[in-house]
Amino acid sequence: MKKFSFMPLLLMLTAMFAFSSCSDDDGDPGSDLPKDLGATVYYEIERLGDQLLVADVTVTYVDGNGNEQTEAVTSVPWKKEVDVEELPFDAQMEIRYAKKEGITFDKEEYVLNGACRITIIPNDQSVSNVATKLNEFSNKFAAENMDVYFNLVDRAPDVVSVSAKLNK
């Protein structure tokens, strides 16, 4: 029987740790941007399925000053354009669905789907990066399961986040 030596394994592990290193360059990817670079943030809800039939839909987003704003969504597509004066900026959007008062689910099945997007475009054309995030979802629920759906979305709303930490 051949004898197994741990020495080659130990040398290999030591070499792996020696050649992997941490660097000061691994910090904030937007740290080299001038604070006054600015950007335009586009919040969009591109489509919703049957949500507008059965739910009161609201969207909460971060405005250019970093404050949360909430609006009712009554039709799609829904769009909001926000000017941001300082980077880095964390753009966030949260969509909530509240069961409409007195709704009766008379369809056999409900298609609950949608697409929402955040896009951040820097004002300085020399910055080549554009940050974008798309969230798409699709579900079907039988009428008798719609209360389960509303319990789920009440606990976990749809959230889309994008950071505007862009590099030149």
Side-chain angles (χ1 to χ4, degrees):
M1 178 161 37
K2 198 172 187 183
K3 186 176 178 183
F4 181 74
S5 173
F6 284 100
M7 188 55 83
L9 180 61
L10 182 61
L11 287 172
M12 186 175 71
L13 288 173
T14 303
M16 281 176 37
F17 286 113
F19 291 113
S20 65
S21 65
C22 295
S23 161
D24 289 341
D25 295 336
D26 294 340
D28 178 6
S31 60
D32 58 347
L33 290 174
K35 280 199 169 286
D36 61 349
L37 176 65
T40 302
V41 180
Y42 299 93
Y43 296 100
E44 300 174 73
I45 301 174
E46 297 171 358
R47 71 175 185 276
L48 292 173
D50 290 330
Q51 286 94 319
L52 291 173
L53 296 174
V54 298
D56 295 319
V57 180
T58 58
V59 60
T60 301
Y61 61 92
V62 178
D63 69 13
N65 297 318
N67 301 314
E68 288 187 351
Q69 302 294 327
T70 301
E71 294 184 14
V73 177
T74 58
S75 64
V76 289
W78 175 91
K79 296 180 182 183
K80 181 60 70 173
E81 183 178 321
V82 173
D83 290 322
V84 176
E85 293 182 19
E86 279 190 14
L87 296 178
F89 180 79
D90 289 325
Q92 296 181 21
M93 176 170 61
E94 178 179 281
I95 303 169
R96 290 198 169 267
Y97 311 99
K99 182 178 168 182
K100 284 191 177 185
E101 195 74 32
I103 186 81
T104 56
F105 303 111
D106 51 4
K107 288 175 61 174
E108 192 173 307
E109 182 177 76
Y110 290 86
V111 177
L112 306 173
N113 63 20
C116 51
R117 176 189 315 267
I118 300 174
T119 304
I120 303 170
I121 301 176
N123 295 337
D124 184 341
Q125 299 301 318
S126 69
V127 177
S128 61
N129 292 351
V130 172
T132 188
K133 174 72 179 211
L134 173 66
N135 182 16
E136 292 184 292
F137 52 93
S138 182
N139 295 297
K140 291 182 181 179
F141 285 86
E144 61 268 13
N145 293 329
M146 287 300 292
D147 285 324
V148 172
Y149 166 76
F150 282 108
N151 286 334
L152 288 172
V153 296
D154 189 44
R155 283 188 245 136
D158 292 322
V159 178
V160 181
S161 297
V162 172
S163 176
K165 296 176 183 174
L166 307 170
N167 292 318
K168 284 193 172 196

